[in-house]
């Protein structure tokens, strides 16, 4: 099979998986045949996709899904292929989970708080031994604490980490924190008032990782094994970087064109932020453990700590998750993005429902959201449904002035161009979406809930969920 085209292997294995699922459950069939875009057009019939078609379209070779219903794993299933050799994804195939590592690491940190080995509210430098967070005018006014780091409100820098390819030297964590080569990220410092604003910081979780190491004298993978993974029964999960060779059923990463990433998976010494290898059923067990902890049935967290973990703060962030839903039906959510891997987990705090989606393609985030909306529809969840927007028809003469290349400061460029009489947008490199007008100056995508609002043909604002940024035409 090694000489067959990747697209053929995907089609072959997806077909087999779909046939198998058909015999298992109507709910499973409803999920894999009911994928939905983020936005539906007002007055148009509902748009539904099949998992097979969307995996091909988005160049995502493999997906693993686990659905939680009524406090147990209702089903878990692998689809597609795990790597260039063509071996099939199963429910036991391991993926990198990216930033979904953070809530798992947070549970371990809170377990250590329960044990009295860490404190939520003492200055972090009281715990840190191998490295100290540099003091400055901000930290002197308000010291950084574990609580603030876990909730992304400590004012720490470094949004995320790109990892290290197979041919690159992997730095120790202290070098990452100091931003010293071979680290490929800047130093982790505090550069804004502490405790005042939500700002996502993988760098903050790198500090948490060092705190856990210094407070226990153990390696980070050992800490996680002993406090979270083994007690929950996550036997196909590990924070070892690179992954321990005893694990063989492993998905390989692919870029947004479906090309295997050279050298395979990147290594992430920033393990608390991005280092988890796991399976969909293992992460489902983690979601269930959070739900159990709220009911006093966890061996990992006390009820009081579980409630603290899910208490919504600034930016709808808790000590581990983003919190959404209603007061009566809140859910906890996190997604993850490593090179060639995208992941999503969600759990309802009290209904016993949730889902886990792991992919090995760089367009897996969009696919994961489409699957999540399908799960929400199949299981009658109150959230995660397509939103409806009204599109208006504009003549080409009104659309053409908005074509061009635009720059978002500190993030890069995106392109808008005319294809026939339709505007299309390439917001993410290699991903082209139709652009719909809601007014002569306002446009939106349907694949994701992204909007472009122009003040004139050269300037505007881009919005996606809670992200907002100004952009301007790039003059070259």
């Amino acid at each position: 099979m090694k000489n067959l085209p990747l697209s053929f292997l995907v089609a072959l294995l997806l077909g087999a998986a779909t046939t198998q699922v058909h015999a298992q459950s109507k709910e499973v069939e409803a999920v894999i045949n009911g994928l939905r875009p983020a936005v539906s057009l007002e007055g148009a019939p509902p748009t539904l996709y099949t998992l097979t078609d969307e995996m091909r379209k988005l160049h995502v070779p493999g997906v693993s899904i686990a659905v939680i219903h009524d406090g147990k794993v209702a089903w878990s299933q692998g689809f597609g292929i795990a790597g260039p050799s063509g071996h099939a994804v199963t429910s036991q195939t391991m993926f990198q989970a990216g930033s979904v590592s953070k809530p798992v690491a947070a549970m371990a940190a809170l377990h250590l708080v329960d044990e009295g080995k860490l404190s939520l509210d003492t200055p972090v430098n009281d715990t840190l031994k191998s490295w100290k967070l540099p003091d400055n005018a901000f930290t002197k006014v308000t010291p950084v604490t574990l609580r603030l780091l876990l909730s992304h409100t400590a004012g720490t820098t470094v949004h995320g980490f790109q990892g290290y390819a197979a041919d690159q030297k992997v730095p120790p964590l202290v070098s990452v924190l100091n931003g010293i080569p071979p680290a490929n990220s800047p130093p982790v410092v505090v550069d804004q008032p502490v405790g005042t604003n939500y700002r996502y910081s993988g760098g903050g979780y790198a500090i948490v990782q060092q705190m856990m190491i210094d407070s226990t004298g153990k390696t980070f993978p050992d800490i996680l094994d002993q406090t979270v993974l083994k007690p929950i029964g996550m036997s196909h999960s590990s924070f070892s970087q690179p992954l321990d060779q005893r694990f063989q059923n492993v998905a390989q990463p692919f870029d947004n064109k479906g090309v295997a990433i050279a050298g395979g998976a990147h290594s992430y010494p920033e393990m608390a932020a991005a280092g988890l290898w796991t399976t969909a059923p293992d992460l489902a067990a983690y979601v269930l453990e959070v739900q159990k902890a709220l009911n006093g049935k966890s061996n990992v967290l006390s009820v009081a700590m579980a409630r603290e973990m899910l208490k919504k703060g600034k930016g709808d962030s808790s000590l581990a998750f983003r919190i959404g839903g209603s007061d009566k039906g809140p859910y906890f959510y996190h997604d993850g993005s490593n090179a060639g891997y995208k992941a999503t987990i969600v759990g309802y705090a009290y209904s016993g429902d949730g889902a886990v989606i792991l992919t090995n393609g760089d367009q897996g985030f969009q696919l994961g959201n489409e699957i999540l909306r399908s799960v929400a529809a199949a299981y009658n969840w109150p959230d995660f449904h397509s939103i409806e927007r009204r599109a208006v028809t504009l003549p080409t003469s009104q659309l053409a002035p908005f074509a061009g290349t635009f720059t978002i400061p500190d993030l890069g460029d995106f392109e808008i161009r005319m294809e026939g009489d339709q505007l299309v947008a390439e917001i993410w490199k290699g991903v082209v979406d139709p652009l719909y007008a809601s007014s002569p100056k306002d446009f939106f995508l349907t694949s994701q809930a992204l909007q472009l609002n122009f003040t004139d043909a050269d300037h505007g604002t881009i919005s996606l969920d809670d992200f907002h940024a100004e952009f301007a035409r790039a003059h070259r």
Side-chain angles (χ1 to χ4, degrees):
M1 292 180 71
K2 290 184 178 180
N3 295 323
L4 293 176
L6 180 61
S7 59
F8 177 83
L9 293 171
V10 171
L12 179 66
L13 290 165
L14 282 176
T18 302
T19 302
Q20 181 183 2
V21 165
H22 180 80
Q24 288 180 346
S25 164
K26 290 182 180 179
E27 288 83 7
V28 180
E29 187 176 344
V31 169
I32 67 172
N33 292 320
L35 277 65
R36 296 138 203 269
V39 178
S40 60
L41 298 178
E42 183 182 287
T47 301
L48 299 179
Y49 313 127
T50 68
L51 177 61
T52 303
D53 288 345
E54 285 301 276
M55 288 175 71
R56 290 195 191 110
K57 173 186 169 184
L58 296 171
H59 309 294
V60 177
V63 179
S64 187
I65 304 170
V67 172
I68 302 159
H69 185 56
D70 287 340
K72 61 181 182 296
V73 178
W75 57 273
S76 61
Q77 182 83 32
F79 304 88
I81 62 172
S85 65
H87 61 288
V89 171
T90 72
S91 61
Q92 298 305 317
T93 300
M94 296 176 72
F95 294 74
Q96 284 191 352
S99 288
V100 173
S101 307
K102 293 181 176 70
V104 180
M107 178 179 278
L110 295 174
H111 175 86
L112 294 178
V113 174
D114 264 339
E115 290 188 328
K117 295 177 181 177
L118 286 176
S119 168
L120 276 172
D121 297 308
T122 60
V124 297
N125 279 341
D126 290 356
T127 300
L128 289 164
K129 301 173 184 176
S130 306
W131 175 87
K132 297 288 186 180
L133 177 64
D135 280 321
N136 59 26
F138 299 120
T139 63
K140 287 179 180 178
V141 172
T142 307
V144 170
T145 65
L146 176 61
R147 184 188 300 277
L148 297 175
L149 291 173
L150 291 176
S151 61
H152 300 283
T153 56
T156 49
T157 57
V158 187
H159 179 90
F161 300 100
Q162 60 184 334
Y164 298 83
D167 61 349
Q168 293 178 314
K169 187 175 181 180
V170 180
L173 181 62
V174 170
S175 293
V176 172
L177 291 167
N178 286 324
I180 296 173
N184 58 16
S185 53
V188 181
V189 297
V190 174
D191 71 347
Q192 66 178 28
V194 177
T196 58
N197 296 306
Y198 170 87
R199 182 179 67 183
Y200 191 86
S201 173
Y205 270 73
I207 298 174
V208 172
Q209 179 179 334
Q210 192 64 60
M211 292 175 68
M212 294 167 71
I213 294 169
D214 287 347
S215 66
T216 64
K218 300 175 181 178
T219 68
F220 190 76
D222 283 348
I223 297 169
L224 268 291
D225 278 346
Q226 294 165 18
T227 61
V228 174
L229 303 185
K230 288 182 179 177
I232 294 176
M234 297 173 68
S235 58
H236 293 84
S237 299
S238 175
F239 275 86
S240 62
Q241 290 286 329
L243 183 63
D244 191 306
Q245 291 187 356
R246 74 179 186 274
F247 298 108
Q248 294 296 314
N249 187 357
V250 178
Q252 298 300 310
F254 290 77
D255 67 15
N256 62 11
K257 296 291 189 181
V259 177
I261 290 178
H266 286 189
S267 290
Y268 293 83
E270 312 89 359
M271 298 172 194
L276 176 63
W277 284 93
T278 191
T279 66
D282 272 15
L283 272 181
Y286 169 82
V287 172
L288 286 166
E289 191 71 19
V290 176
Q291 295 168 336
K292 290 175 184 176
L294 290 169
N295 294 313
K297 298 179 180 179
S298 169
N299 293 321
V300 179
L301 288 184
S302 66
V303 174
M305 194 57 67
R307 291 173 178 168
E308 200 71 36
M309 184 185 195
L310 297 184
K311 189 182 296 181
K312 183 164 67 173
K314 294 180 174 65
D316 293 335
S317 179
S318 72
L319 297 189
F321 299 98
R322 300 300 296 276
I323 305 298
S326 66
D327 290 341
K328 292 184 178 180
Y331 65 79
F332 50 95
Y333 170 93
H334 214 292
D335 55 46
S337 175
N338 278 4
Y341 300 96
K342 302 293 179 281
T344 299
I345 65 170
V346 62
Y348 279 88
Y350 303 113
S351 72
D353 284 359
V356 174
I357 302 154
L358 302 174
T359 75
N360 64 338
D362 269 337
Q363 292 196 65
F365 180 69
Q366 179 176 325
L367 180 68
N369 280 335
E370 292 175 0
I371 295 169
L372 191 58
R373 287 187 285 271
S374 183
V375 172
Y379 288 86
N380 297 311
W381 289 4
D383 308 285
F384 303 101
H385 299 291
S386 299
I387 60 175
E388 191 175 78
R389 287 186 175 143
R390 179 173 176 267
V392 299
T393 301
L394 298 177
T396 303
S397 60
Q398 285 185 260
L399 296 174
F402 297 103
T405 300
F406 299 86
T407 298
I408 304 172
D410 300 323
L411 291 178
D413 294 347
F414 67 90
E415 185 180 356
I416 298 175
R417 56 181 179 266
M418 293 293 301
E419 290 189 358
D421 58 359
Q422 168 87 57
L423 278 178
V424 299
E426 188 172 354
I427 307 294
W428 301 274
K429 190 69 174 176
V431 183
V432 179
D433 289 291
L435 200 57
Y436 296 90
S438 55
S439 82
K441 289 186 177 181
D442 300 303
F443 301 88
F444 64 90
L445 306 184
T446 57
S447 61
Q448 299 195 41
L450 183 144
Q451 298 182 84
L452 297 170
N453 305 107
F454 286 85
T455 53
D456 56 51
D458 296 326
H459 304 87
T461 302
I462 184 170
S463 304
L464 177 61
D465 299 327
D466 59 354
F467 170 79
H468 305 277
E470 294 182 351
F471 63 81
R473 187 180 296 272
H475 297 286
R476 303 184 187 280

